Amino acid sequence: MNLDPLPFDPLAQLRIVLVHTTHPGNVGAAARAMLTMGLDQLVLVDPRQFPDPEATARATSAEHVLEQARVVPTLADALAGCDLTVGLTARPRAFAGRVLPLREAAQEAINRAAAGGIVAIVFGTEMSGLSNAELAQCAIAASIPANPDYASLNVAAAVQVAAYELRQAVGLSGTWAAPRFAAAAHDEIEALHEHAARTLAAMRFLDPAHPRRLLPRLRRLFARAELEREEVNILRGILAGIDQVLDGERRR
């Protein structure tokens, strides 16, 4: 994904809102899930237990997300000042707003955040999710495309999936790059091809008078592999070792 340079990080415009969480461990696990994807604004609506040592233990180095979390009495308080609100739900219901797959909803959220808007991503209680009245306060209902026979996710797991999709929508893949080494030159690959042909003929695997398609296929294999110089040297070394064995057998 190719995005124009942004004046700020759109992830900083996102609020993760947890409504009526009953288990403090889920709050800590959600904070950890958020931080792994670059989110740190957590709002808790009337949690049963918070702060709590178990939340801190489950946060695993994301304690600052908990320390700066806001606790509010109602969902309306959590959504105050937001330009877009997205509620996560796994259950179909009568809903007057828009219903989108999570990936599409995440892209809309990032588009709004990139334009300077404040966006809330809302998750319900562990047992039953968001109520109809709570979901009605959200402009978009988003659904994770899970197994239809068992679509219920732990709230922290749902936060992790949503946070991942939000990060992907920004284009921050974070994929590490494997080291690249010098590619083999054309003449080096040609020398490898010639060496392989000689060795295969000496092994009687190749009949030079009737090579059929072996040599062209070998050439295609080398081209498709995009061989590095060091790899060509390794293969030449293997062929040289085979040549020595064959030469020893001929001498005996």
Side-chain angles (χ1 to χ4, degrees):
M1 184 180 300
N2 184 17
L3 297 178
D4 293 331
L6 299 172
F8 54 85
D9 179 7
L11 296 177
Q13 301 291 103
L14 304 179
R15 296 179 189 172
I16 298 297
V17 179
L18 304 184
V19 181
H20 304 310
T21 46
T22 59
H23 197 293
N26 285 330
V27 177
R32 180 182 182 181
M34 291 169 57
L35 192 59
T36 61
M37 296 297 147
L39 304 173
D40 62 5
Q41 290 193 48
L42 176 62
V43 182
L44 304 173
V45 177
D46 189 27
R48 179 176 294 179
Q49 294 172 250
F50 187 82
D52 188 275
E54 187 167 357
T56 303
R58 292 285 299 278
T60 314
S61 300
E63 294 89 347
H64 79 275
V65 176
L66 299 180
E67 292 167 0
Q68 66 187 24
R70 289 196 298 122
V71 178
V72 296
T74 69
L75 178 57
D77 293 320
L79 301 183
C82 287
D83 299 284
L84 179 66
T85 53
V86 180
L88 271 287
T89 181
R91 293 183 287 115
R93 35 236 177 107
F95 177 67
R98 298 163 61 207
V99 182
L100 296 176
L102 175 58
R103 184 160 295 176
E104 292 181 28
Q107 189 62 66
E108 287 214 17
I110 292 301
N111 290 345
R112 186 68 63 90
I118 302 296
V119 180
I121 313 296
V122 186
F123 300 82
T125 185
E126 294 94 326
M127 294 300 295
S128 56
L130 293 170
S131 68
N132 288 338
E134 291 163 345
L135 189 60
Q137 296 183 56
C138 300
I140 296 175
S143 181
I144 296 171
N147 177 2
D149 296 325
Y150 190 69
S152 177
L153 281 172
N154 171 275
V155 65
V159 170
Q160 183 73 83
V161 174
Y164 169 81
E165 291 292 354
L166 290 162
R167 187 171 184 83
Q168 292 300 298
V170 178
L172 301 173
S173 66
T175 304
W176 56 272
R180 296 290 298 172
F181 301 97
H186 173 76
D187 57 323
E188 292 171 326
I189 296 175
E190 284 299 302
L192 170 64
H193 187 266
E194 293 171 5
H195 191 166
R198 292 194 303 271
T199 301
L200 292 174
M203 294 170 61
R204 297 182 182 176
F205 185 84
L206 168 68
D207 182 355
H210 303 284
R212 298 185 182 180
R213 296 184 178 179
L214 176 58
L215 294 180
R217 287 188 179 277
L218 198 60
R219 191 182 296 278
R220 284 174 54 194
L221 173 62
F222 291 160
R224 192 166 62 245
E226 297 182 350
L227 292 168
E228 297 168 355
R229 179 167 296 159
E230 191 62 31
E231 292 168 338
V232 169
N233 291 338
I234 291 171
L235 292 174
R236 292 291 302 272
I238 293 171
L239 292 171
I242 295 172
D243 293 340
Q244 289 180 355
V245 172
L246 294 175
D247 185 59
E249 289 182 352
R250 282 195 297 269
R251 291 176 183 277
R252 287 194 296 270

